[in-house]
Amino acid sequence: MLGSACGGGGSGGDGADDTSAGPADITVIAKEYRFEPADLSIEARRPYVVAVENIGSIAHDLTVRKGDFKLTVQRNRTGRKTLTVDKPGTYEIYCSLPGHKSAGMVGELTVN
């Protein structure tokens, strides 16, 4: 259902629905206890380089529920990882560190 691999940056082109294009970039800010933006939208079967910029005072991660995508980033750091979702749908995103999800560090990934 979900695939991920370590990856570098890339450009997303003009945003057209072209799954043969290179990776598109998504940036998410992580801090106590939320993501900005909390809701993301991507195209199925297209790779996206997800950059999580942690501006919080502790470590955070971005995990996609029902998948194998997890990116942990230490404070004052930015981490990157490639995300490709094969199946359209709605997936929960959250920080899996103890207490972070219940404190509100959640969001939604919509795959078209």
Side-chain angles (χ1 to χ4, degrees):
M1 186 180 307
L2 294 174
S4 64
C6 291
S11 66
D14 62 5
D17 185 16
D18 179 3
T19 57
S20 66
D25 294 331
I26 297 172
T27 300
V28 178
I29 305 296
K31 57 184 171 182
E32 288 81 35
Y33 288 95
R34 64 180 185 254
F35 295 116
E36 293 176 4
D39 298 325
L40 306 171
S41 181
I42 65 172
E43 297 298 319
R45 296 172 300 281
R46 181 173 183 186
Y48 289 82
V49 176
V50 178
V52 175
E53 182 182 347
N54 183 355
I55 63 171
S57 61
I58 56 177
H60 293 294
D61 71 48
L62 188 144
T63 300
V64 179
R65 186 173 210 45
K66 296 185 182 177
D68 60 355
F69 185 87
K70 180 177 180 178
L71 175 57
T72 303
V73 182
Q74 298 301 314
R75 67 186 181 114
N76 299 316
R77 304 278 182 174
T78 299
R80 290 174 181 75
K81 188 173 182 179
T82 301
L83 168 68
T84 303
V85 181
D86 294 327
K87 186 176 179 182
T90 302
Y91 302 85
E92 180 182 40
I93 60 173
Y94 60 98
C95 182
S96 69
L97 296 172
H100 292 206
K101 182 178 176 184
S102 62
M105 208 163 182
V106 296
E108 191 171 87
L109 174 68
T110 302
V111 180
N112 299 306

